[in-house]
Amino acid sequence: MAETCDRDCTAAPPETEAYRRALIAVLVINAVMFVIEAGAGLGAGSVSLQADALDFLGDAASYTISLLVLSMTIRWRAGAALIKGGSMGLFGLWVMGATIYNMIYLGRPDVVVMGSVGTLALAANVVCALILYRFREGDANMRSVWLCTRNDAIGNIAVLAAAGGVFASNTAWPDLAVAAVMAGLALNAAFLVSRHAMAELRHQAVT
């Protein structure tokens, strides 16, 4: 993993135009999936679906920021990655809070909606991951984009597992457990991206 500045931190992202097209494609996919999953998550009463929907929204915003700073200097790109790292951390804290709230006001989510929408979301994120795979290494900004996409795919698989768990146990606990795991993934990604961005900014300060 490239969490430290062990390469030329002043280099521009490779294949800029190809990367720009890839970002636009995944931005559109994430924006559409946010609308679909947010409505489904609220309707089904699923915390993990709601968390995943918010993650789609955060990723759409992340891709927008990446597009805006793509041709800028490493200092701007590292700063953007630092902002995105903070947003990942806030997302993780929000999901953790929502999970605790639903532990108190427990309600069983709709497993059919969870399973069907979770499958659609997984397909969307697999497509995004395939589009971005070739750009998974690079500066902190590129790394943050890849980590967002990777976490989304893992989260979708977990949502499907939660749907099966809710169906088998007839309780909401599997849904809540998956939401807590998704919060942990977001907090871990926030740490990795922020550490990489800070390394790039320190490198710039001494050059």
Side-chain angles (χ1 to χ4, degrees):
M1 286 188 179
E3 283 98 28
T4 57
C5 197
D6 55 0
R7 57 173 62 81
D8 181 6
C9 288
T10 62
E15 305 175 88
T16 302
E17 285 308 312
Y19 188 48
R20 190 186 306 277
R21 290 193 296 271
L23 285 175
I24 292 172
V26 295
L27 168 59
V28 172
I29 292 171
N30 277 262
V32 171
M33 283 307 305
F34 162 69
V35 174
I36 294 172
E37 201 167 28
L42 290 172
S46 169
V47 182
S48 59
L49 275 184
Q50 293 173 45
D52 202 41
L54 187 62
D55 198 25
F56 272 119
L57 177 62
D59 287 350
S62 173
Y63 300 143
T64 301
I65 293 172
S66 295
L67 281 167
L68 292 174
V69 301
L70 187 57
S71 300
M72 295 183 181
T73 64
I74 186 65
R75 187 179 299 276
W76 280 97
R77 300 198 306 271
L82 201 57
I83 292 172
K84 288 188 285 184
S87 69
M88 289 178 194
L90 290 174
F91 164 73
L93 292 174
W94 180 89
V95 173
M96 196 65 72
T99 303
I100 294 171
Y101 175 85
N102 279 271
M103 285 179 181
I104 300 172
Y105 302 99
L106 204 59
R108 181 180 178 276
D110 187 323
V111 294
V112 175
V113 175
M114 283 183 68
S116 57
V117 176
T119 300
L120 177 62
L122 175 60
N125 278 313
V126 168
V127 171
C128 290
L130 291 173
I131 291 172
L132 293 172
Y133 183 77
R134 63 187 284 200
F135 306 107
R136 66 192 183 281
E137 299 293 346
D139 61 22
N141 193 49
M142 296 178 76
R143 181 102 181 121
S144 69
V145 167
W146 170 249
L147 284 172
C148 283
T149 306
R150 182 206 67 180
N151 284 358
D152 285 350
I154 295 172
N156 294 143
I157 294 171
V159 168
L160 292 176
V166 170
F167 177 77
S169 66
N170 199 33
T171 70
W173 289 105
D175 183 54
L176 299 176
V178 165
V181 169
M182 292 172 71
L185 281 172
L187 292 172
N188 178 65
F191 170 74
L192 294 177
V193 169
S194 298
R195 185 173 69 174
H196 192 169
M198 289 301 297
E200 290 180 344
L201 289 172
R202 285 194 299 269
H203 182 274
Q204 284 293 295
V206 297
T207 56

